Amino acid sequence: KAIELRRDSTGADRDARAAGATVGIDTELTSLVHFNFDIGFIANSFEDPRFEDDVDLIFAGEVIWYATGFTTVKARAARRDVSTSLEGASSKTQTNAGVEVQHELRRNVLLGAELNFINDDFRDIDRVDNRGIAGVSAEYLINNYASLVANYRYEQRWSDQENQDFNRNIVTLGLRGRF
């Protein structure tokens, strides 16, 4: 695929050609455990000579455990190549792992919790960012087409670059529609 991005303030051109392939498996290990996993590679060829062409390992996997008739646990891990607009970087390798629990408290009340860790390793510059995310959610199903949702999410970033660390609390309330 062709990737076309605007030049940054240094004049760097991140336009690139990318090609890759993955193979995978998607199976039901037992009636209570579902598993899928893909692994492959991606090759990037950048137009700007400041950026090195590269080949990178990519993967994604998920295990879903139906712990009870009302509780589902999902564990996920992935590594992928991601475009970035960070000055001087051609792209980044993003590796993440997380777990999510969903529980049906009542037929019309759903609760959730998540924990995630994300590592961003930027190419062509010396920078690595790590993020931790924790969140909880609740959803009240009004009918088959609408629900009220509430989410709280805490996110913290640790960077090896000075003055790039942050933390934030995000609260969202909303009305969700379904067709």
Side-chain angles (χ1 to χ4, degrees), residues 86-105:
L86 190 62
E87 197 168 285
S90 60
S91 60
K92 64 183 177 182
T93 298
Q94 186 176 81
T95 307
N96 62 62
V99 64
E100 177 184 348
V101 178
Q102 298 171 336
H103 180 73
E104 183 179 319
L105 185 63

Side-chain angles (χ1 to χ4, degrees), residues 132-151:
I133 300 168
V136 293
S137 62
E139 183 171 9
Y140 174 74
L141 306 173
I142 299 168
N143 57 36
N144 289 340
Y145 305 104
S147 62
L148 296 172
V149 293
N151 295 296

Side-chain angles (χ1 to χ4, degrees), residues 7 11-15 45-53:
R7 292 180 184 266
D13 181 3
R14 289 185 187 81
D15 290 356
S45 176
F46 294 94
E47 292 182 12
D48 194 318
R50 290 179 270 195
F51 300 135
E52 291 185 28
D53 296 346

Side-chain angles (χ1 to χ4, degrees), residues 10-63:
T10 67
D13 181 3
R14 289 185 187 81
D15 290 356
R17 296 244 178 251
T22 60
V23 296
I25 183 171
D26 189 353
T27 187
E28 192 174 275
L29 298 175
T30 71
S31 62
L32 300 177
V33 179
H34 184 244
F35 171 77
N36 66 63
F37 184 77
D38 298 311
I39 189 165
F41 74 94
I42 188 162
N44 290 305
S45 176
F46 294 94
E47 292 182 12
D48 194 318
R50 290 179 270 195
F51 300 135
E52 291 185 28
D53 296 346
D54 58 49
V55 177
D56 203 8
L57 171 74
I58 57 174
F59 66 82
E62 178 179 60
V63 176

